[in-house]
Amino acid sequence: MAFIAAIVAVATIGGFMFGYDSGVINGTQEGLESTFNLSKLGTGFNVGAILVGCAVGAFIAGRLADQIGRRTVMMIAAVLFILSALGTGAADSSAVFIIARLIGGLGVGAASVLSPVYISEVTPANIRGRLSSVQQIMIITGLTGAFVANYILAATAGGSTSEFWLGYPAWRWMFWMQVIPAGVFLLTLLLIPESPRYLVVKGRDAEAEGVLTRLFGAAEARRKVEEIRSSLAADHHRPKLSDLVDKTSGKLRPIVWTGIGLAVFQQLVGINVVFYYGAVLWQSVGFSEDDALKINILSGSLSILACLATIGLIDRIGRKPLLLIGSAGMAVTLGVMAAAFSTASMVDGAVQLSDGAGLTALISANLYVIFFNLSWGPVMWVMLGEMFPNQIRGSGLAVAGFAQWTANFAISVSFPALAASLGLPITYGFYALSAAVSFLFVRAMVKETRGRELEDMVG
């Protein structure tokens, strides 16, 4: 069990980097706008550029992992994190910054799909949900770590655009700080084994049995190898993208549509608006930059607590009930946020809320974050890592991951323009409607996977 915990801990550093690389932008936007003279749409593209890389990275990683291995692709992702951190901090133009963020996005996309699938492939079915949920805790820890680092750097320098070490402004150091966890991720990946299921697919049964012996003991290792081999026996070819299509109907398998739906709805509820634009949003309704950064830290801390609750519940009550609870809770809290912002007035071109409405919006936003991280945050990634049959796991993750990051890009890039043109009430109203529809989707399409072996997954 100690060996399982150790390799899960290493794999989830990918989740930490996923969160850190996503959250570091929150707090740097004033520096980006002033340095690169950005419009609101330009800010959206600089913030959202990483997500294009994420979509491509998720799609490529899922397929590449079937060819060269889960661990190898995660190591490539770690190198991309380092290159992106150096490039974004040193960027002298918006174009260079966007390219560097795209590179980081490739790493985030790869880590987002491969960390959960790797964890699901090395853990026992009865605790798989709990251990896979650690991935979301690490994502939120990464986000919170970025928020804390940004706050400390801005507070020490006297503001995100103020000069810090070596004459560079604090916002550039916010990006350069990513090199530290990315380097740790790369080095620790050298210490963990390749996924045993990948090894069996490649015909390296002896290596797979050796890894499984260290994980579960010799007798269980032999049984596991036979199970994996049997699950692949019906398909005597290497996994490929066309396996996602049902040979009888000629259409995508239902399980693939379910994966795409889970991935897309996780973003349509607008969670990354809080992660990416939280500081700007709270400043726009009257909070100082210092207080807005503190609110980010509060939201991140509440998210971690919610994920800890998920770890205690996911293998007891199951994945589907948690998704339903989350959808209902998010629909209500987002609706309250929309109502609170509908009372806002414009003062000197800035949104102003009354004290009561501001408090209501703040409480609702944090309750929304709690509901998301109790449910859709960790559970979506758990399900994508375990719901697909062995033969299509890499390809299914590639397609679902691509859909997730594409939806993420659309929501994140569109928010500044939507908020400015349609207003926050309508924007948050759309997210609330999406949460309500996600409840119906889960009821109709999602099947429970709690306690099932990966070799028993069908669809």
Side-chain angles (χ1 to χ4, degrees):
M1 190 62 192
F3 182 56
I4 293 175
I7 61 178
V8 167
V10 172
T12 54
I13 299 175
F16 181 91
M17 289 309 306
F18 170 0
Y20 199 108
D21 220 0
S22 299
V24 69
I25 198 75
N26 193 335
T28 65
Q29 289 160 47
E30 185 179 346
L32 292 172
E33 289 177 356
S34 61
T35 302
F36 301 143
N37 194 28
L38 300 175
S39 65
K40 288 298 181 185
L41 185 60
T43 299
F45 275 106
N46 276 264
V47 171
I50 189 175
L51 303 174
V52 177
C54 290
V56 175
F59 185 79
I60 293 174
R63 298 291 301 123
L64 193 60
D66 282 338
Q67 298 170 14
I68 65 174
R70 279 68 161 137
R71 188 186 72 155
T72 303
V73 179
M74 286 193 288
M75 291 177 69
I76 293 172
V79 173
L80 293 173
F81 286 136
I82 294 172
L83 294 175
S84 175
L86 295 173
T88 48
D92 59 0
S93 69
S94 176
V96 172
F97 181 84
I98 287 173
I99 291 171
R101 288 290 278 175
L102 285 170
I103 291 171
L106 294 173
V108 172
S112 71
V113 298
L114 291 183
S115 291
V117 77
Y118 179 88
I119 293 168
S120 72
E121 291 183 343
V122 298
T123 53
N126 64 320
I127 60 170
R128 189 177 60 233
R130 271 173 277 173
L131 293 179
S132 296
S133 297
V134 176
Q135 166 79 353
Q136 182 68 14
I137 290 181
M138 291 298 283
I139 292 172
I140 302 304
T141 301
L143 280 163
T144 307
F147 297 158
V148 171
N150 287 0
Y151 172 75
I152 291 173
L153 288 168
T156 304
S160 61
T161 58
S162 299
E163 186 177 304
F164 197 50
W165 290 331
L166 304 179
Y168 293 104
W171 70 265
R172 291 189 181 275
W173 285 100
M174 292 175 185
F175 291 110
W176 285 331
M177 289 293 288
Q178 297 173 85
V179 172
I180 298 172
V184 172
F185 185 37
L186 178 60
L187 292 175
T188 54
L189 282 169
L190 298 171
L191 306 176
I192 66 174
E194 183 52 82
S195 162
R197 285 173 174 83
Y198 165 78
L199 294 172
V200 173
V201 168
K202 289 297 183 180
R204 295 156 60 180
D205 290 12
E207 291 179 60
E209 187 169 333
V211 174
L212 288 166
T213 297
R214 294 183 68 188
L215 292 170
F216 307 118
E220 182 68 6
R222 287 190 291 273
R223 187 186 71 80
K224 284 280 187 185
V225 170
E226 287 301 320
E227 275 189 0
I228 297 168
R229 192 185 295 118
S230 297
S231 73
L232 298 168
D235 293 284
H236 299 288
H237 62 271
R238 294 174 182 268
K240 56 183 186 291
L241 202 59
S242 61
D243 293 331
L244 300 180
V245 177
D246 184 88
K247 294 178 175 61
T248 303
S249 66
K251 299 177 181 179
L252 279 181
R253 297 188 187 190
I255 194 69
V256 179
W257 282 117
T258 301
I260 291 172
L262 285 169
V264 171
F265 273 116
Q266 195 212 39
Q267 293 305 308
L268 290 183
V269 298
I271 189 63
N272 281 320
V273 168
V274 176
F275 289 159
Y276 298 158
Y277 296 103
V280 174
L281 176 63
W282 296 120
Q283 283 178 262
S284 74
V285 295
F287 290 92
S288 67
E289 180 185 58
D290 184 71
D291 286 339
L293 292 172
K294 288 178 181 177
I295 292 171
N296 282 343
I297 296 172
L298 171 64
S299 295
S301 301
L302 291 173
S303 297
I304 293 171
L305 292 175
C307 290
L308 289 172
T310 305
I311 288 178
L313 294 172
I314 192 167
D315 286 321
R316 294 181 181 178
I317 69 173
R319 285 69 162 148
K320 188 170 181 175
L322 285 174
L323 290 174
L324 292 171
I325 291 168
S327 292
M330 288 189 296
V332 172
T333 51
L334 284 165
V336 173
M337 286 179 69
F341 282 116
S342 70
T343 66
S345 58
M346 298 296 294
V347 178
D348 297 327
V351 177
Q352 292 292 321
L353 291 174
S354 67
D355 290 345
L359 181 61
T360 298
L362 181 60
I363 292 173
S364 298
N366 281 292
L367 286 174
Y368 157 69
V369 166
I370 289 172
F371 275 114
F372 177 85
N373 286 290
L374 182 68
S375 58
W376 281 82
V379 176
M380 189 279 290
W381 291 114
V382 169
M383 293 208 69
L384 289 188
E386 68 185 12
M387 66 188 285
F388 297 110
N390 279 340
Q391 182 68 24
I392 67 168
R393 186 164 297 122
S395 298
L397 274 165
V399 171
F402 181 82
Q404 198 265 357
W405 288 109
T406 301
N408 192 328
F409 176 79
I411 292 295
S412 300
V413 171
S414 65
F415 175 74
L418 285 176
S421 59
L422 299 179
L424 290 173
I426 294 177
T427 303
Y428 278 101
F430 169 75
Y431 303 149
L433 178 62
S434 296
V437 175
S438 74
F439 183 92
L440 302 177
F441 168 80
V442 172
R443 286 191 61 184
M445 296 291 291
V446 175
K447 296 180 181 178
E448 184 58 63
T449 56
R450 176 171 63 108
R452 295 175 61 191
E453 294 288 348
L454 296 185
E455 285 65 47
D456 296 331
M457 301 298 176
V458 295

